[in-house]
Amino acid sequence: MILVERYIELHIMKRMLDECTTNGRTVGLITGPGGAGKTTLLSSFSEYAKNTGALVLSASGARSEQVHSLGVLRQIFRSIELEAEVAERLENLLTARGGDCRDLSLSACAVDELAGILREAAGGRPLVLAVDDTQYADPASLQTLLLILRRLASSPVVAVFAEWRIFSSKPPLVLAECIKQPYFHLLDLKPLTLGGVADWLRQRRLGKANAERLAPAFRAATGGSPLLLQALFQDQRHGFDEPDSGDVESVTAREDVRIGAHFTVAVEACLHRWDPRLLDVARGLAVLGGPASAAVLVRLLNTEQRTVVEALNALAGTGLLRSGWFRHPAARAAALSGLDDAALAALYERTALLLHSDGAVPSEVAERLVAAGGVAEKWSVDVLRNAAWQAMREGNPGRAADFLEVAHEACGDARERAEVMGSLARVRWLMTPAAVTSLLVPLYTALEDGSLADRGIVALSTFLAWQGRADEAATVLERVAAPAGEFDPTGAAESALARQWIRWVVPLKGTDRADGTGTASCAVRTVECDSWSDLVKSAEQVLQCCRIADALPVTVLSALLVLTFDNRLDDAQRWCEALGPEAEAHRAVAWLAMLAAVQGLVAVRRGDLVDAERHSRRALTVMPQHNWGAALGLPLSCLVHATTAMGRMDEAEAVIKEALPEAHPNPFWLHFLHARGRFHVENNRLYAALADLRACGRLLAGCDLDHPGFVPWRSDLAEAWLRLDDPLGAKAALEDQLALADVEDKRVRGRSLRIMAATARPPARASLLRDAVQVLLESGDRLELALALADASDAELACGRFAESRLSAQQAKRMAKICGAERLYRRLQDSGGAAAQDDTAASQKGIQRFASLSEAERKVAALAAQGRSNREIGRTLFITVSTVEQHLTKVYRKLGVSRRSGLPVELCLVGPAD
């Protein structure tokens, strides 16, 4: 048996045994906190005494046997081998008084006879009486043992008692009887020091280096309690790698400690074996959730101040507490184990009421209310709602949802219950949009009984629309009170964007034949469409008032898409960047995914393929496909567009194959059909491309969404016709697109001109492509600009203009590299001639040509030549739009051009200086 930092105490007891043969009886009392090693020390001494020839008689008190009179005394005497007559006489002596442990009376003759039996059993040898857990010994046994020791005053007797006296209210019988006597020895055990813990570990074959490295972590977790050290050591055994050679000095060990089953069971066993008042205080502390004053625990447990103070001190001595709190969560969990659900809920309810009456912060009270399962009182609902709001501000929507769920169950007022339910739905949507489904029925019920407010109605409508249930969404949205817009402009803007969202997700013509007509759903007829300019104003209003914790994700997504489809890409990007950090802080999964989807769409329209792929993948990773509802087409289409244009066809095809099917295609799903059609064009699967692109046209026929700014499907249809050697079909599609396109939509116009050029003869083709390049320079679409430059290079070459062809090819290659169009870049790289010129030489030539520009002007000019808008250039370089304009004016003068479209694309080769 290994002892650490107990050698002095063991030496004292050995000396007591040596001296008892000459000095007579001697008494020792081992004290110390629970788990300090009292039993181990007592066992070590008993083993030593046996080896020296002494008669050792042992007994142990037990809390469950305190009611049995003379139970400990019976343990001592029944371990002696006695003749039948003496054994019968002994039994009569121990049972004559009955079983009442409160009756301490035992005749003097009986005590004399018991002492004589012990003296005779020892037969002249030293007699050792070892009594463990004296605090649980029945009073009659303990009193009788002390009387017997008086009778054996001159005999070689050593009596050692081990006791943990927790509460001062219990009489210290042994201490009171012997404290002033010269034969008495008090042995007070303390927790192991850091050096003691290291010695303890070293003696378990860990080696000196490992023991010293692990000692701080072991002591921090156990407080130096040998009992807890042993349990913790057992939890680590799988982490100790002993070599087959048995060389203990080379054992390696983890540098941290793992709390496992052995430690947890040890703590549970201790708390449930020790005094019940310790367990009560530990449980009170556990439900309070942090260090608490004795006064608070007294009120919670309805007990005495002294009891609580002494219990806290005792628990600290055992190593379970440090600075008034549990050293490890496992100890806190152990304290609450064994309580049935009803008792635990009642304890948490009392705690919540106590904290609320003391003015604790709502979150602390709410945590206890959740653990209690809620309290059906008005104050608890208010506390839970305030705590949910605070949790959202702190970026913990999961915690907020827990609070709101309990508040919803505790609500007694129908209108307040509906408000809480609406808030819960919004919070759930932040994390998992699919989880809102379970709330649709109660939200409908609240709508029908009139308890659902306007914001709740808008929320219910957008939930339904997100799931593609556009007819129901439109019907619900009609219930919003008409005057709301007059008094709540933001609410009116939110409603307008909700209506637009419904129109965007309504099943398209020919996909919903429930009415047998084959026409679009009644949502289109029911939901009044705002003018586009009004929608843009609503988008700005909603975004300016947006708070992640409270705004509806769909209305904000709708606002961002309105800006994107209005070609206000800088504004859409700026709002995504502004809302992103708040969404991250709130851990709002739906928000993060939606913002990433919008950024992916913006990047596609700018021709930034790397960003488009990155944002789109993030959108689908943060929020899996099944949670995207009717908006799934957005991130999927952007990812397919990006990977296709980058030449990563296997990845694009994998996305297409893994995409969840859309039973009732909506306008957003058309983006995916368009992207898939583009993929088929690039892979020369031209009839598959025609099927997808014609489907776009068929579904959009007669719809006000059939606009190139929304889905420019006719461009790709024209390319498919060209590859099928049908220039007339291509030209017709492009003419239709140009007729529908906004005059200011340079991206659509430039792309249309680029493809239209393929239907013309070489001289006209080159002219059209030069026009396309100039238009695309102002569009901000880098990919389309690279494609136009590449086509222009081929057209100029066909016309015999070799210098122009060389420059266009070089510019196209550089632009392709900038936007990430690897497939186009490789084609230009491998084409020979101008496209294969050395990049370094071209860059040096460009630098020399633009040497007259200052560093700041060169930065601005390079970005402008890449198609960046003034606002985007200002944001990139951290300068104002006015400063950008001033720099461009100087650049125009120095380079001899009159406007942005005249900037040489060769500026892209120079790049903005760092």
Side-chain angles (χ1 to χ4, degrees), residues 885-900:
E885 293 172 349
Q886 293 173 24
H887 284 318
L888 283 177
T889 300
K890 295 178 181 178
V891 169
Y892 296 160
R893 186 177 67 253
K894 291 179 179 180
L895 296 183
V897 299
S898 58
R899 55 183 177 172
R900 179 190 297 262

Side-chain angles (χ1 to χ4, degrees), residues 2 197-215 218 229 232-234 236-243 246-257:
I2 300 174
V197 172
D199 288 343
W200 190 94
L201 291 171
R202 187 164 55 250
Q203 293 186 40
R204 276 144 183 85
R205 303 183 64 207
L206 281 186
K208 182 178 180 180
N210 284 326
E212 291 179 352
R213 184 170 61 253
L214 286 171
F218 266 77
L229 277 171
L232 188 60
F233 178 79
Q234 290 177 301
Q236 313 310 308
R237 291 191 68 87
H238 72 284
F240 300 149
D241 181 22
E242 296 192 29
D247 180 8
V248 297
E249 292 300 323
S250 62
V251 172
T252 59
R254 295 162 50 99
E255 293 194 6
D256 57 350
V257 293

Side-chain angles (χ1 to χ4, degrees), residues 712-730:
W713 59 274
R714 291 177 175 84
S715 301
D716 300 279
L717 180 64
E719 288 205 56
W721 284 128
L722 285 172
R723 296 195 184 201
L724 286 170
D725 199 22
D726 187 352
L728 294 179

Side-chain angles (χ1 to χ4, degrees), residues 740-890:
L740 291 170
D742 191 328
V743 175
E744 298 300 321
D745 193 340
K746 299 185 182 302
R747 177 172 176 268
V748 171
R749 180 173 174 77
R751 188 179 186 203
S752 299
L753 289 174
R754 176 181 69 80
I755 301 171
M756 182 77 75
T759 66
R761 294 185 177 276
R765 180 181 305 168
S767 177
L768 281 172
L769 287 170
R770 284 194 291 272
D771 291 342
V773 167
Q774 294 304 317
V775 172
L776 289 170
L777 270 170
E778 300 180 21
S779 74
D781 190 330
R782 299 170 181 82
L783 175 62
E784 281 300 322
L785 178 58
L787 290 169
L789 286 166
D791 290 350
S793 175
D794 294 339
E796 299 289 359
L797 184 63
C799 295
R801 291 192 283 269
F802 302 108
E804 289 83 350
S805 173
R806 179 190 299 272
L807 179 60
S808 293
Q810 190 179 48
Q811 293 169 343
K813 187 172 68 170
R814 282 295 187 174
M815 188 59 69
K817 190 169 187 179
I818 289 172
C819 69
E822 290 297 324
R823 189 180 195 185
L824 176 61
Y825 179 81
R826 289 194 300 270
R827 176 169 70 83
L828 293 168
Q829 184 79 358
D830 297 339
S831 63
Q837 294 297 313
D838 181 75
D839 291 344
T840 303
S843 297
Q844 292 299 323
K845 180 180 179 181
I847 292 172
Q848 293 171 5
R849 179 180 178 187
F850 306 118
S852 62
L853 301 179
S854 69
E855 181 180 352
E857 291 165 355
R858 193 160 55 246
K859 289 180 180 180
V860 171
L863 292 172
Q866 293 175 19
R868 307 284 187 98
S869 67
N870 288 359
R871 183 173 297 177
E872 186 180 2
I873 294 170
R875 189 175 62 248
T876 301
L877 300 179
F878 301 101
I879 57 178
T880 65
V881 174
S882 176
T883 303
V884 173
E885 293 172 349
Q886 293 173 24
H887 284 318
L888 283 177
T889 300
K890 295 178 181 178

